[in-house]
Amino acid sequence: MSRVIGIDLGTTNSCVAVLEGDQPVIIQNSEGGRTTPSVIAFGKNGERLVGDTAKRQMTVNMDRTITSIKREMGSTYRKSIDGKEYSPQELSAIILSKLKADAESYLGEPVKDAVITVPAYFDDSQRQATKDAGRIAGLNVLRIINEPTSAALAYGLDNGHSQKILVYDLGGGTFDVSVIEIGDNVIEVLATAGDNHLGGDDFDIRLTEYIVEEFRKETKVKLAKDPVAMGRVREAAENAKKELSYQTQTHINLPFISVVKNNPVHLDMTISRETFNHITEDLVDRTAGPVNQALRDAGIAARELDKVLLVGGSTRIPAVQDKIVGLTGKQLSKSVNPDECVAMGAAIQGSKLSGELMVTNKVNDILLMDVTPLSLSIETLGGVANVIIPRNSPIPTRESKVFTTAANFQKDVEVKVYQGERRFTRDNKLLGNFRLSGIKRAMAGVPQIEVTFDIDANGILKVSAKDLGRGATQQIVITASNNLSEEEIRRAREDAMRYENEANSNQEKIDIKNEAEAYVYKVEKVLADHSGELDKKQAKLIKSDVDYLKKLVCRNDINKMTDIEAGQIKEAYRALKESAAALERYM
Ligand code: AMP
């Protein structure tokens, strides 16, 4: 089995790690960064950019740049680019492909298997969508694990003594809180709670709105109508937010942000930490509910906590840290890097799952016990959610309940599966539905229909129903309508592979062209510098090869270069190398 990588597929940044010996290490990306922005862009010629390169060009290519796609996982969102509709799974797969390629270049071998993390609060369809994204990227997803659990795993590896910790994970787009008990090599999640739509992005949006409004009051210029200007403000807002984590005030300076009556207008503003705290206070307050709920569900008081572990870039915001101290009364542990520990935990779990035999490895001794974040129910009469598996049940798990019919001689029943905590199903999320038909003819209330929910270690649900009267079972795999079908995943995988092949062949052409071009200049320089020492006839021959290759290289626009043209360059380059072999000693 090849090495297993651990991937933290974040809303704003992603990170990949692998286990070296018995320690997880972060894999640097091809740009030298330890995390990769989760940004995808489609260039004008259809080329795809991922990570730093995509982020850098964002403000000038807004409508073809995609950020925070994680927020759309499991939804019906589609992005249309050049007539093709991309699902969140396909877009996430583009990020995963880059992480996979970076890991392959670091390890020097192909990577097949991965553990990918998701917010603990991700529901069934979001988990399924993440798994599908992995498959589209050509990864065998061994396990989907929860981000806070993963962080606890990285933390617990070196802090194995018995303790209860609260993991407070505020990333770019999601908020998760988990209460975890680290015992004798057992990491047990006691409870988890969170908010799928709360994260650093919301702080950026608040600050952007504030800046735009203040600017409007001062200059009467409405930036909101100008997407390029808005892109610049948003970028500046995120930087300002980060600076305010270390400084009490920050300066925003955006020259030429707009034009009024042919005169340029500049944006120049100072923002204090106090102002930032004031305009984002309600966002920080929103984290209190899930913290209290997780403690309640775990059945412990805040004072019983040994530690609070901070995960996610947004926990660097001082007001957030103050809030946690206020809520728990605990000092905060900064022993793990909030940006890296999730991927590290995933790498640990990956190594454990791969069964890599390491006799003395502490990883293999750790047992991980996770829970399901939201209650799973089916709809019964009056739209009431009848819970089959309550939230915070340890996974994997299997539960059954027997239901009956509401009308006489009912031949079939519709089973609708929901996820969420509300009493009425209309307030919860519909995961899927199916019809169980062929029920034995009987009066209302007589048939016995057993519905079984089965959650695997990834937190993904399968549902089956059985008419006990007939004894026949109907196995149904729940797939929410938002999720991709097997056929769609297969097609998306083929598309991704085709693109990878094209990108590789394009890269090959770029490499050939660049190499040939560089060689032409070297030969030209030698010809010029050593003209007196060279045989005239030979120099003339070389010169004609140089001219021919130069013509080919200059003629070809790299984005339109055909395989035949690339072949011609390769051949001419080979010919020049042959004729200019004697000059190599001068190069
Ligand atoms: P993550 O998803 O964990 O990578 O978190 C990314 C989020 O953390 C983004 O919204 C970042 O803007 C935010 N972030 C990163 N560094 C800081 C910082 N120093 N202060 C405030 N927020 C930060």
Side-chain angles (χ1 to χ4, degrees):
M1 196 175 194
S2 60
R3 308 276 289 276
V4 183
I5 53 171
I7 298 177
D8 168 9
L9 182 60
T11 309
T12 344
N13 294 299
S14 295
C15 188
V16 52
V18 70
L19 211 71
E20 297 273 22
D22 60 7
Q23 285 301 325
V25 296
I26 295 296
I27 296 177
Q28 288 197 357
N29 62 25
S30 50
E31 297 76 45
R34 293 171 70 83
T35 59
T36 298
S38 305
V39 182
I40 310 135
F42 292 83
K44 299 278 179 261
N45 295 310
E47 75 277 19
R48 292 177 194 174
L49 308 172
V50 188
D52 291 299
T53 44
K55 192 172 179 180
R56 267 200 303 275
Q57 54 84 66
M58 192 156 80
T59 49
V60 291
N61 188 27
M62 291 288 271
D63 54 335
R64 294 169 71 85
T65 303
I66 300 109
T67 58
S68 300
I69 192 61
K70 186 172 174 178
R71 284 185 175 224
E72 305 296 344
M73 290 300 258
S75 78
T76 51
Y77 170 94
R78 295 292 180 268
K79 175 83 184 172
S80 178
I81 299 278
D82 300 330
K84 179 174 158 44
E85 300 264 290
Y86 289 86
S87 63
Q89 292 89 319
E90 287 169 281
L91 294 167
S92 296
I94 296 176
I95 301 171
L96 290 171
S97 296
K98 160 149 178 76
L99 302 176
K100 178 174 178 272
D102 285 339
E104 286 174 340
S105 107
Y106 171 87
L107 294 169
E109 61 183 36
V111 168
K112 286 196 211 76
D113 301 306
V115 168
I116 305 179
T117 62
V118 294
Y121 223 56
F122 251 25
D123 65 29
D124 193 78
S125 50
Q126 292 169 306
R127 282 165 199 270
Q128 189 65 57
T130 306
K131 211 169 172 209
D132 293 342
R135 287 174 62 194
I136 295 169
L139 286 166
N140 173 30
V141 183
L142 293 181
R143 185 68 55 86
I144 295 286
I145 63 169
N146 293 336
E147 286 159 13
T149 318
S150 193
L153 199 52
Y155 171 78
L157 192 64
D158 291 319
N159 298 277
H161 61 281
S162 204
Q163 53 188 310
K164 289 195 179 75
I165 62 170
L166 183 133
V167 183
Y168 182 105
D169 179 356
L170 187 61
T174 52
F175 172 57
D176 263 351
V177 47
S178 294
V179 179
I180 294 175
E181 184 161 14
I182 301 181
D184 247 353
N185 288 332
V186 179
I187 294 185
E188 186 181 357
V189 181
L190 302 178
T192 189
D195 185 336
N196 263 339
H197 290 275
L198 176 64
D201 287 355
D202 299 295
F203 290 75
D204 300 345
I205 293 168
R206 276 295 159 79
L207 194 51
T208 304
E209 285 168 355
Y210 172 82
I211 297 166
V212 169
E213 180 55 17
E214 288 301 299
F215 188 67
R216 190 196 59 78
K217 280 190 211 154
E218 199 184 298
T219 62
K220 298 206 166 48
V221 176
K222 291 181 184 165
L223 295 177
K225 289 185 182 152
D226 176 352
V228 174
M230 284 304 283
R232 288 179 67 196
V233 176
R234 173 78 190 256
E235 199 181 355
E238 188 186 356
N239 288 334
K241 171 190 77 174
K242 288 183 182 170
E243 275 174 26
L244 288 171
S245 292
Y246 309 103
Q247 298 159 202
T248 50
Q249 67 172 32
T250 184
H251 199 72
I252 295 179
N253 187 3
L254 295 172
F256 304 98
I257 192 75
S258 189
V259 177
V260 174
K261 291 185 188 139
N262 289 330
N263 289 321
V265 190
H266 314 297
L267 190 155
D268 199 354
M269 202 178 282
T270 298
I271 296 170
S272 69
R273 188 187 282 171
E274 232 176 350
T275 303
F276 176 71
N277 287 350
H278 178 67
I279 60 176
T280 57
E281 194 177 0
D282 62 312
L283 298 176
V284 176
D285 284 347
R286 265 171 62 191
T287 68
V291 169
N292 291 329
Q293 190 200 308
L295 285 170
R296 246 192 336 267
D297 285 356
I300 64 165
R303 63 173 184 285
E304 292 173 67
L305 289 169
D306 294 284
K307 276 226 156 61
V308 175
L309 205 64
L310 300 185
V311 182
S314 303
T315 56
R316 293 200 176 93
I317 298 172
V320 168
Q321 298 189 356
D322 291 346
K323 184 82 195 169
I324 311 168
V325 174
L327 282 168
T328 63
K330 295 284 157 193
Q331 280 317 305
L332 310 174
S333 171
K334 296 182 180 163
S335 62
V336 296
N337 182 327
D339 301 325
E340 299 178 352
C341 58
V342 171
M344 286 182 168
I348 295 170
Q349 179 70 355
S351 163
K352 195 171 143 57
L353 289 172
S354 75
E356 281 170 23
L357 213 60
M358 284 172 281
V359 182
T360 58
N361 194 332
K362 29 189 175 176
V363 171
N364 284 326
D365 298 335
I366 293 181
L367 181 68
L368 190 65
M369 288 163 69
D370 220 322
V371 294
T372 180
L374 296 157
S375 300
L376 289 153
S377 52
I378 67 166
E379 185 176 83
T380 47
L381 214 59
V384 174
N386 194 312
V387 174
I388 298 199
I389 298 181
R391 71 165 185 262
N392 288 321
S393 300
I395 55 170
T397 186
R398 187 185 162 91
E399 287 293 337
S400 299
K401 256 191 187 179
V402 175
F403 297 88
T404 189
T405 48
N408 290 338
F409 312 124
Q410 201 174 320
K411 281 202 212 109
D412 46 24
V413 284
E414 181 158 40
V415 180
K416 284 182 162 176
V417 182
Y418 286 86
Q419 193 161 28
E421 305 313 314
R422 306 287 287 274
R423 189 168 131 68
F424 291 102
T425 53
R426 61 167 183 264
D427 302 319
N428 292 329
K429 178 165 180 177
L430 176 67
L431 291 181
N433 54 325
F434 63 87
R435 197 163 271 281
L436 177 70
S437 42
I439 295 170
K440 201 171 167 186
R441 195 178 148 80
M443 301 298 281
V446 174
Q448 298 225 299
I449 297 148
E450 186 185 56
V451 177
T452 303
F453 279 25
D454 212 326
I455 307 184
D456 66 12
N458 301 308
I460 292 174
L461 173 71
K462 287 197 179 71
V463 178
S464 61
K466 185 177 177 182
D467 174 6
L468 295 179
R470 285 242 151 116
T473 306
Q474 216 165 316
Q475 281 272 357
I476 293 110
V477 177
I478 282 287
T479 329
S481 49
N482 304 340
N483 286 132
L484 301 180
S485 66
E486 275 301 308
E487 176 56 21
E488 285 168 319
I489 294 170
R490 194 187 55 74
R491 243 181 289 134
R493 172 74 200 126
E494 278 172 12
D495 269 3
M497 271 164 57
R498 197 171 321 118
Y499 178 79
E500 267 166 42
N501 289 341
E502 266 169 33
N504 284 343
S505 119
N506 223 11
Q507 189 58 46
E508 243 171 59
K509 288 178 197 160
I510 293 171
D511 291 346
I512 292 166
K513 184 178 175 204
N514 288 345
E515 224 179 281
E517 211 166 2
Y519 195 71
V520 161
Y521 291 125
K522 266 195 219 164
V523 175
E524 277 186 327
K525 189 164 182 328
V526 174
L527 287 176
D529 292 352
H530 301 273
S531 58
E533 303 156 49
L534 303 173
D535 172 58
K536 284 221 165 50
K537 213 166 140 200
Q538 194 189 10
K540 201 170 158 202
L541 188 76
I542 297 172
K543 177 81 176 60
S544 94
D545 282 350
V546 162
D547 289 344
Y548 178 59
L549 180 55
K550 212 168 158 183
K551 207 169 83 195
L552 290 180
V553 167
C554 296
R555 190 185 67 187
N556 283 303
D557 171 354
I558 194 67
N559 290 310
K560 293 185 193 134
M561 194 193 291
T562 63
D563 289 347
I564 295 174
E565 287 165 339
Q568 286 172 337
I569 292 181
K570 213 168 169 181
E571 186 46 36
Y573 176 36
R574 194 199 54 74
L576 175 63
K577 280 197 103 169
E578 224 172 86
S579 63
L583 308 192
E584 300 249 338
R585 65 197 152 111
Y586 299 110
M587 291 181 188

